[in-house]
Amino acid sequence: MKQRITYLLPEGHRVNASDILVQDDSLSFADASKAAEEWRLTLGLDELPEEIQVILADCHELHLRWTSPENRSLRSPLVAGVPSGLHAFYTPRAADQHARVCDLINQLLDGPPSRCHSVTESWTRPSVLSERFAASSSYQYYHYWPLRRQLGEVFLTKACAGEGPGLAECDRVLDELGQADYIDVDFDVISHAVTLTALWSSLDASKSPLLAQRVSRPIRKTRTNDRVEVGVLHPEEATEPEKLSLGGFLTVIGDNNHPGMTLFSFPARHHPLPPSEQVTFKATFEQPIGLHPDLKINIPQQNLIPPKEQCGLHAYWTLPSGLFIDRYQLSDPLFLASNNLLKLHSLSGEQDLEAPDWVIKRWGSAALLELAAPPAMQSDAAVDDASEWTVTIPTHLRYLAADSNGTDSTSHTALKVPWPILFWACEAEEGLKMATNPFDRVNLGYDGLFGPKTMFYHISPAGGVERTVEEIKVPVLDVEKAEWVPMGTLLAVAVGFSWVCWKLIRGADGRVKEKDGKKAQ
Amino acid sequence: MSVFTTFFSQPRLVFSTAILLRLGLLLYGRWQDANGPVKYTDIDYFVFTDAARFVAQGRSPYDRATYRYTPLLAWLLLPTAWQTKGVPHHLWFDFGKALFATGDIVTGWLIMRILVRKQGMRSEQAMKYASLWLLNPMVANISTRGSSEGLLAVLVIGLLWAVLENRIALAGILLGLSVHFKIYPFIYAASIWWWLGSEDAGTTPSTDLLSRLKSFCTRDRVTLAAYSLTSFMVLNVAMYSFYGMPFIEHSYTYHFTRIDHRHNFSVYNTVLHLNSVHGDSSPFKIESFAFAPQVLLSLGALPSQLAKKDLPSTMLAQTFAFVTFNKVCTSQYFLWYMVFLPFYLPGSSMLRKPSLGITALALWVVGQAAWLQQAYGLEFLGHSTFVPGLWLASMLFFGINCWILGIIVQDIGVQPGSSASPEVSKQKKSR
């Protein structure tokens, strides 16, 4: 078992060596409440529960990306966003070996009725836009679900159990994982180990009382053979635009008895926008929603300028099966332009334009859209601070089955839809070794849709927004009110049919009478 | 009044107006499509033209999702995929709409010919009734938006014309072709079959099985059956050999297995929606016998009782029954029966008693309006109007349609004999 804990201080703070207290088997950082924490735990296969080992035996690679619906701003270098919910990316070891990965997904989503029945039925295949990028997995799954303890419970039961557990205060850790902003789980057959990475973007106890414990608790090494490395870092001025620099102290608990100073730079795939171009976005469905919801993305126009030349503004969106994008509608240039869209670059997964939700087997679809950016403004033109750039993504609802899913009424059902994530994708210079970034994050669903030499400048959701998930109240057929429908319909058809038949007979009679009349004459 | 009389007494004027109306709509549609994000062109037309483009690229038209038609349609629209130097692409793109609109005009011309030659109507009078189709804004709108119903109308009226002209082989081919195009015209096989029966078959019942069979299978009937079945099967085999199973699936099987859960005018819609949600657990399977009243009326009772009296009006009644009792019903289906109105209306009680006719028309419109209002609440405001709103509205509309169908059926029923084509029935008697 290996642990890597990194405290990341925000811009403008510097680490003070005296705040770091190193002891034989523990470390504590006095200023932790100001920092973000990334916790990375690497477990050997034998440190995982049996059933997980069995499931991983089928995997060539498996990546889970869970993101909290709560809106907290991510901090450099960990700015890569993913729509909130649980994303899974999977490549089977052999073509026909993917029976059991759904067991894992269903264990994690132990709440809503999951759609995961089998990989071939329920998972989707992401489109391959960039042949050179070998990192994208062959199957994708997504479900919106505000995970709590499940992820930790599924992966850490063995690490937490037994005599001399590898993790201290395990039960607390599971609760704290539920408070994380995101959790990644990565496995691939080459490394033969599972890495669990959690990020708490703020350890400020006033925002989350549960995390107060985590801040005050020293980091402990419980077993001699384990490795526990702690970094306390702050951002430094980067030397090149493609690179990020961090300075601070690194300590391996048990090996070092005082923190070692460090300063390092690395090229990064994911960047925050430069402070001068800080811009955030809001997403909301236009009211009234109806059966054809339009997602409106509002961005203050003032700072919406590309961070470099040759950048495209993009949105990546995972849509639950109840909602879909019509690729044909989004192929008309005039229609795209009227919504401030440029192109639907990729749409993978469920695209049936007619089927109701109850016959859909797959989880939904993933879309990568290029958005139009406002035309470059003349330098002397006065920019209206309040003016907003609005992009509309038109979608359509399927008919949903009635269930009391979060609503009191039987006539509507709730559909939770995550916000898309927004970023500028820019061409990076040749020869950057992104993988040398110790905080590199890949397999996010959209990175595989770009070439390997792409840099992402992320636009975060607006600060005042609490949750980056929207709820649509979808009208459904109210089964309780429909009790009389079958009998009523049957009756109506019977009456209508009889009426026509009676008229047919009467018409025939009328003719007979007429004929009789004629004969009599 | 005199202006109208002059107008209708000059077919050239009427046809020019009908053509100009469509040209105007085509140009307007071109303008709206080029300038507005909301298209004039029907969604289906994009499906057709996408499919035609696939065919032009040597691919299958069924590569286009929701293409559920015969490959013939995509072939016919091949010019929409052409790129010719010097010719703006939208001219080729509009080719299909122009073709459908031409279908409208030819249909109108056939209607007029049948009215004059077979129903003995004065030309001016016939022009007035044909204008119900030719100058009908709904008809012109539907075909210039790129819906293929106009093409079907010309096939079906062509079929009627061929039968009345006693060109039975041609009628058989047209019947096979139109069923291949869109399944529903198979109902006309029944009415034409009854109409072609020998006059005395019913009046002098014979106990001899062989002679009964002989009088049942007249030469015309055999010709019709042979030509229609052959043309239908030749087309199917040819299309199957080109495109394989996707052709069968999208042109035929789809129409029998579709769930039809999305709201539409059909009286069965809510029940089908309900059953689809419940899956197999539903105890009440209305879809398994929903075809019964529809088939009994449009294939059985109506043609057998009415066809000999008035074939064109019987075809109206059949179509009206088919659409009214269908499991799916959208406003495009109304065109299927509207094309027969010029034959039925002249002798109908709805014209004899204008109050009845106006009431029928008003109720037909009100029924649709009530339904559309409920559908608007669902579709655009997100109100759950499935029950009772939409359900009651579709029941109301169904009731109105049944009432109108009753009037039509009774009107045909009281007709003394075969008024449609006196000379043909004379010919048949002399045979």
Side-chain angles (χ1 to χ4, degrees):
Chain A
M1 181 189 291
K2 277 194 325 196
Q3 286 187 70
R4 189 186 86 179
I5 293 117
T6 312
Y7 292 109
L8 290 155
L9 285 165
E11 200 83 35
H13 285 73
R14 294 191 72 80
V15 185
N16 203 338
S18 60
D19 286 340
I20 305 170
L21 176 65
V22 182
Q23 286 175 321
D24 285 350
D25 63 347
S26 73
L27 181 150
S28 51
F29 172 48
D31 230 4
S33 64
K34 291 201 182 75
E37 182 190 337
E38 190 213 51
W39 180 54
R40 182 170 292 191
L41 178 71
T42 308
L43 296 169
L45 281 183
D46 55 341
E47 291 171 300
L48 292 163
E50 302 289 326
E51 70 257 31
I52 300 294
Q53 291 184 36
V54 170
I55 290 166
L56 292 179
D58 293 341
C59 300
H60 178 75
E61 55 177 329
L62 177 69
H63 307 282
L64 303 177
R65 302 282 176 263
W66 176 77
T67 304
S68 159
E70 271 150 61
N71 179 23
R72 289 183 215 128
S73 62
L74 299 181
R75 206 173 284 169
S76 177
L78 298 165
V79 287
V82 180
S84 54
L86 179 69
H87 302 252
F89 303 94
Y90 165 67
T91 306
R93 196 168 291 190
D96 53 343
Q97 265 189 348
H98 31 55
R100 280 167 291 199
V101 69
C102 270
D103 296 348
L104 172 64
I105 299 295
N106 292 334
Q107 241 179 304
L108 294 175
L109 299 176
D110 126 68
S114 161
R115 243 167 235 273
C116 202
H117 302 297
S118 79
V119 171
T120 39
E121 254 188 16
S122 332
W123 292 52
T124 62
R125 309 203 68 143
S127 18
V128 181
L129 293 189
S130 169
E131 295 283 344
R132 292 189 301 160
F133 206 65
S136 39
S137 305
S138 17
Y139 291 97
Q140 181 176 8
Y141 192 85
Y142 165 77
H143 193 106
Y144 173 77
W145 184 238
L147 217 56
R148 287 292 164 234
R149 283 167 58 106
Q150 294 98 310
L151 212 145
E153 276 171 359
V154 166
F155 283 95
L156 300 183
T157 40
K158 200 165 170 187
C160 287
E163 291 164 35
L167 286 178
E169 313 245 12
C170 225
D171 200 48
R172 286 236 168 83
V173 170
L174 294 185
D175 280 337
E176 288 157 7
L177 276 175
Q179 297 281 309
D181 293 290
Y182 68 68
I183 304 173
D184 291 355
V185 176
D186 292 274
F187 167 81
D188 66 65
V189 81
I190 298 152
S191 67
H192 228 67
V194 166
T195 316
L196 188 147
T197 311
L199 177 83
W200 294 269
S201 65
S202 166
L203 292 176
D204 189 347
S206 65
K207 284 182 188 157
S208 169
L210 196 77
L211 294 180
Q213 281 282 339
R214 190 168 181 87
V215 174
S216 55
R217 197 167 66 227
I219 297 161
R220 285 177 54 204
K221 176 178 169 177
T222 49
R223 290 192 300 212
T224 46
N225 289 336
D226 292 350
R227 181 185 159 91
V228 184
E229 186 186 9
V230 184
V232 185
L233 303 169
H234 59 250
E236 292 272 357
E237 190 80 26
T239 49
E240 291 164 55
E242 276 93 1
K243 291 189 172 178
L244 296 174
S245 287
L246 294 172
F249 299 89
L250 298 179
T251 314
V252 178
I253 298 180
D255 292 6
N256 312 125
N257 41 27
H258 60 85
M261 205 150 124
T262 182
L263 175 67
F264 58 103
S265 304
F266 47 85
R269 241 181 275 275
H270 301 280
H271 291 257
L273 283 169
S276 60
E277 291 163 23
Q278 268 318 319
V279 61
T280 57
F281 76 99
K282 269 185 194 167
T284 172
F285 283 104
E286 194 176 25
Q287 297 289 341
I289 291 179
L291 293 182
H292 308 280
D294 280 340
L295 186 81
K296 294 262 177 215
I297 298 173
N298 287 307
I299 319 167
Q301 199 159 342
Q302 196 184 16
N303 285 331
L304 190 60
I305 37 176
K308 294 168 70 175
E309 280 173 38
Q310 305 288 328
C311 293
L313 184 61
H314 289 80
Y316 177 73
W317 200 12
T318 42
L319 296 96
S321 63
L323 198 69
F324 65 92
I325 284 178
D326 178 354
R327 69 158 64 242
Y328 300 104
Q329 187 186 24
L330 292 189
S331 62
D332 176 56
L334 278 172
F335 182 77
L336 286 169
S338 73
N339 291 305
N340 280 336
L341 296 171
L342 283 183
K343 198 179 174 203
L344 175 67
H345 276 296
S346 153
L347 180 63
S348 61
E350 189 53 64
Q351 295 172 48
D352 193 301
L353 305 175
E354 294 160 328
D357 193 47
W358 55 85
V359 304
I360 298 289
K361 298 237 165 67
R362 292 186 283 183
W363 62 265
S365 57
L368 175 70
L369 291 133
E370 185 165 357
L371 318 181
M377 239 130 0
Q378 280 107 27
S379 50
D380 55 336
V383 180
D384 182 4
D385 284 0
S387 81
E388 293 221 313
W389 183 248
T390 304
V391 177
T392 308
I393 309 180
T395 68
H396 309 275
L397 279 170
R398 296 183 191 288
Y399 274 18
L400 300 186
D403 55 26
S404 48
N405 204 347
T407 46
D408 304 331
S409 88
T410 48
S411 63
H412 288 80
T413 191
L415 183 68
K416 294 249 176 50
V417 184
W419 284 23
I421 58 153
L422 247 61
F423 53 84
W424 293 96
C426 309
E427 188 82 10
E429 276 168 34
E430 290 291 317
L432 290 176
K433 294 204 170 63
M434 306 286 196
T436 58
N437 176 357
F439 302 101
D440 196 22
R441 203 172 174 219
V442 289
N443 289 299
L444 304 170
Y446 53 92
D447 50 352
L449 302 173
F450 292 90
K453 303 265 180 289
T454 306
M455 285 168 50
F456 303 94
Y457 288 84
H458 291 269
I459 302 176
S460 357
V465 180
E466 257 178 50
R467 292 160 75 81
T468 54
V469 63
E470 294 293 303
E471 186 177 290
I472 303 179
K473 287 206 164 50
V474 184
V476 293
L477 174 58
D478 191 338
V479 180
E480 282 173 22
K481 279 195 214 155
E483 208 181 346
W484 286 98
V485 164
M487 279 319 288
T489 307
L490 188 68
L491 198 70
V493 171
V495 169
F497 180 75
S498 314
W499 166 259
V500 176
C501 288
W502 184 64
K503 284 293 204 178
L504 192 64
I505 294 164
R506 242 187 74 165
D509 283 355
R511 185 201 57 187
V512 169
K513 272 175 202 159
E514 235 172 59
K515 271 189 176 173
D516 287 347
K518 274 177 193 165
K519 268 179 193 168
Q521 279 171 358
Chain B
M1 182 68 196
S2 65
V3 180
F4 280 115
T5 319
T6 339
F7 179 76
F8 287 112
S9 63
Q10 288 175 296
R12 248 179 232 190
L13 216 54
V14 178
F15 279 100
S16 307
T17 313
I19 291 168
L20 281 175
L21 169 68
R22 283 160 177 81
L23 270 179
L25 285 173
L26 275 179
L27 287 176
Y28 169 75
R30 167 60 28 217
W31 177 84
Q32 187 180 322
D33 282 5
N35 294 290
V38 179
K39 301 291 169 214
Y40 177 78
T41 304
D42 193 75
I43 283 242
D44 285 344
Y45 193 66
F46 291 107
V47 178
F48 304 158
T49 50
D50 283 353
R53 202 169 50 246
F54 284 140
V55 172
Q57 292 163 1
R59 293 170 61 187
S60 162
Y62 301 105
D63 287 353
R64 172 58 163 89
T66 72
Y67 185 80
R68 307 262 157 67
Y69 316 88
T70 163
L72 282 181
L73 186 60
W75 293 1
L76 270 178
L77 298 194
L78 263 180
T80 60
W82 287 352
Q83 312 261 359
T84 325
K85 262 193 187 160
V87 183
H89 174 248
H90 64 76
L91 273 187
W92 283 128
F93 181 77
D94 283 350
F95 169 83
K97 299 179 184 179
L99 185 76
F100 301 153
T102 312
D104 281 358
I105 304 290
V106 177
T107 307
W109 181 77
L110 283 171
I111 291 174
M112 196 192 72
R113 261 186 87 87
I114 295 172
L115 283 176
V116 172
R117 293 193 40 169
K118 299 295 162 193
Q119 301 200 341
M121 202 180 268
R122 280 183 302 120
S123 151
E124 177 209 318
Q125 197 74 2
M127 207 63 254
K128 270 187 194 165
Y129 285 108
S131 298
L132 281 176
W133 178 262
L134 279 170
L135 302 181
N136 190 326
M138 182 176 165
V139 176
N141 178 261
I142 285 184
S143 58
T144 52
R145 287 185 64 203
S147 170
S148 62
E149 307 303 331
L151 221 49
L152 203 74
V154 76
L155 284 178
V156 166
I157 296 301
L159 165 69
L160 173 63
W161 175 82
V163 174
L164 295 179
E165 288 284 342
N166 215 22
R167 298 186 180 188
I168 306 303
L170 177 65
I173 292 169
L174 285 174
L175 179 61
L177 178 62
S178 47
V179 177
H180 171 79
F181 235 89
K182 209 153 215 170
I183 304 162
Y184 88 90
F186 75 92
I187 56 173
Y188 305 132
S191 47
I192 298 170
W193 178 273
W194 284 106
W195 194 80
L196 289 175
S198 62
E199 283 291 295
D200 34 47
T203 50
T204 52
S206 166
T207 42
D208 179 7
L209 197 69
L210 195 72
S211 64
R212 271 176 78 171
L213 195 72
K214 259 174 106 178
S215 70
F216 185 68
C217 294
T218 61
R219 216 184 67 185
D220 283 347
R221 281 176 167 179
V222 173
T223 312
L224 180 81
Y227 275 88
S228 58
L229 278 176
T230 310
S231 63
F232 180 65
M233 283 323 290
V234 163
L235 284 166
N236 287 341
V237 169
M239 296 308 147
Y240 180 78
S241 72
F242 279 115
Y243 300 114
M245 270 324 275
F247 158 67
I248 304 287
E249 279 160 27
H250 294 286
S251 304
Y252 297 116
T253 0
Y254 164 78
H255 296 280
F256 294 108
T257 55
R258 59 197 283 190
I259 311 172
D260 296 322
H261 64 290
R262 285 229 161 223
H263 54 283
N264 61 68
F265 288 111
S266 171
V267 67
Y268 296 114
N269 177 249
T270 313
V271 173
L272 291 176
H273 183 172
L274 208 56
N275 288 358
S276 175
V277 180
H278 286 307
D280 294 332
S281 63
S282 160
F284 184 72
K285 285 252 171 280
I286 203 162
E287 58 263 50
S288 45
F289 71 89
F291 73 93
Q294 184 186 28
V295 164
L296 279 175
L297 283 179
S298 56
L299 212 59
L302 299 180
S304 67
Q305 297 305 304
L306 305 176
K308 287 190 90 61
K309 295 181 178 173
D310 182 348
L311 178 64
S313 300
T314 303
M315 285 165 87
L316 167 72
Q318 278 181 291
T319 322
F320 207 102
F322 188 88
V323 172
T324 302
F325 286 85
N326 203 20
K327 287 199 286 182
V328 208
C329 180
T330 66
S331 52
Q332 284 182 13
Y333 291 21
F334 303 154
L335 245 63
W336 296 357
Y337 56 73
M338 276 168 72
V339 72
F340 292 109
L341 278 180
F343 308 114
Y344 158 74
L345 278 180
S348 71
S349 56
M350 294 199 216
L351 274 200
R352 274 202 315 274
K353 285 184 276 177
S355 61
L356 181 69
I358 289 165
T359 310
L361 178 65
L363 281 177
W364 187 72
V365 171
V366 165
Q368 285 178 64
W371 186 92
L372 285 170
Q373 189 216 358
Q374 295 300 318
Y376 178 84
L378 170 69
E379 190 104 24
F380 296 102
L381 306 178
H383 299 159
S384 177
T385 57
F386 291 109
V387 274
L390 266 176
W391 179 59
L392 286 179
S394 68
M395 303 269 280
L396 173 72
F397 189 55
F398 172 78
I400 292 167
N401 277 317
C402 283
W403 178 69
I404 296 175
L405 181 60
I407 297 173
I408 297 173
V409 162
Q410 195 176 1
D411 277 354
I412 308 171
V414 297
Q415 285 180 34
S418 178
S419 64
S421 60
E423 56 237 314
V424 174
S425 44
K426 257 180 237 158
Q427 277 168 19
K428 278 197 286 186
K429 265 179 191 163
S430 63
R431 223 179 261 159

